[in-house]
Amino acid sequence: MIRINSTSDLTTDLAPNSVTDSTTNSAPKPENPQNVAEIYETLKEQFDGTPYPWVPIDTPASDHLEIFYAHSIVSAFYACDRRIVSTQGCTILDVGCGSGFKTQVLAAVNPGAKIIGFDLSPRSIALAQERMVVHGYADRVECRVGSLENLADWGETFDYINCDEILYLLPNTLAGLQALAAVLKPDGLMRANWHNAFQRSHVYRAQRALEITGLRKPGGDRASLNLSLIHI
């Protein structure tokens, strides 16, 4: 859980694949806007092709009770402030909501809250919208196509931001956190996570195997070949 007192708290370069030294105050390296745009376009294509999470639309949230606690804003605020908040009328932002299953869980465990889920993948958002209709949450859950860059343009602020499985995908984690901090209410909370390198070791091994066989170019460029990878 993250409590951000001001955007000035976010001064560390948290860009992926970088190693920072807490004893230095070097500024983050400027990014090439073209490279950033290409990264976002690649992500959009990936999740348009394979929307995530891969949870059937008719799956009830109660099938995954193990994640209820982590998505309850009552639990979050009590853990951080030792105070009990009401979910009625609270505003929640679900960042990179994908096909909307965790947005559905947020709606289930936070009754009365107004929730906005957004994602850069139009196909994912279409599935998320359908999921909200199926489970009866369309009256208080809105799903939008969007990106972090235009969040401030919405003119909305949020009591709670759920940023699950997102930060490691961003070309600049710091810029992403700053964009989220700008729409978080002064006493709000943000839930975020990073992937552990050991947790994703099987992914790195698969990428290396594809490079050795010539099916993936070093640095992440994909060869023009459709593959189906099955993790067993």
Side-chain angles (χ1 to χ4, degrees):
M1 210 69 63
I2 299 175
R3 163 64 49 71
I4 300 172
N5 296 320
S6 71
T7 54
S8 62
D9 291 346
L10 299 174
T11 56
T12 305
D13 182 9
L14 297 174
N17 303 320
S18 66
V19 178
T20 58
D21 185 348
S22 60
T23 62
T24 67
N25 292 313
S26 57
K29 296 179 180 178
E31 293 178 331
N32 183 331
Q34 182 177 355
N35 291 343
V36 173
E38 290 175 354
I39 290 172
Y40 282 128
E41 183 60 27
T42 298
L43 288 172
K44 184 178 82 66
E45 290 178 0
Q46 175 181 338
F47 291 110
D48 272 345
T50 54
Y52 183 85
W54 309 309
V55 179
I57 285 177
D58 60 353
T59 302
S62 57
D63 279 7
H64 294 269
L65 294 174
E66 72 279 2
I67 63 174
F68 271 33
Y69 177 83
H71 289 79
S72 166
I73 67 172
V74 175
S75 300
F77 279 94
Y78 188 79
C80 289
D81 300 334
R82 289 298 186 267
R83 64 186 176 98
I84 299 175
V85 300
S86 171
T87 61
Q88 292 291 329
C90 282
T91 52
I92 299 174
L93 179 67
D94 191 17
V95 183
C97 66
S99 64
F101 179 67
K102 290 184 179 178
T103 315
Q104 174 190 341
V105 172
L106 285 167
V109 300
N110 298 291
K114 173 180 169 56
I115 303 170
I116 295 178
F118 80 96
D119 199 282
L120 48 73
S121 163
R123 186 181 176 204
S124 296
I125 288 298
L127 292 172
Q129 291 171 332
E130 183 179 353
R131 190 187 298 274
M132 297 310 120
V133 171
V134 167
H135 294 281
Y137 297 128
D139 60 330
R140 61 185 180 92
V141 178
E142 181 181 354
C143 301
R144 303 176 181 176
V145 177
S147 64
L148 289 172
E149 284 75 10
N150 60 24
L151 272 182
D153 297 338
W154 295 357
E156 299 173 81
T157 55
F158 301 89
D159 297 293
Y160 185 80
I161 295 177
N162 184 60
C163 185
D164 195 15
E165 309 287 344
I166 296 299
L167 293 178
Y168 73 96
L169 294 172
L170 302 179
N172 187 316
T173 309
L174 173 60
L177 285 171
Q178 289 173 329
L180 293 171
V183 298
L184 185 65
K185 291 181 180 180
D187 59 348
L189 286 178
M190 175 163 60
R191 173 180 176 267
N193 67 341
W194 281 265
H195 274 194
N196 183 286
F198 294 105
Q199 179 189 24
R200 295 181 63 79
S201 59
H202 64 282
V203 176
Y204 301 142
R205 290 196 298 268
Q207 290 175 338
R208 181 56 182 152
L210 292 175
E211 290 175 0
I212 292 173
T213 57
L215 299 179
R216 181 180 187 270
K217 298 177 182 178
D221 291 337
R222 292 170 293 180
S224 57
L225 180 67
N226 291 323
L227 297 173
S228 296
L229 298 181
I230 302 174
H231 184 206
I232 59 175

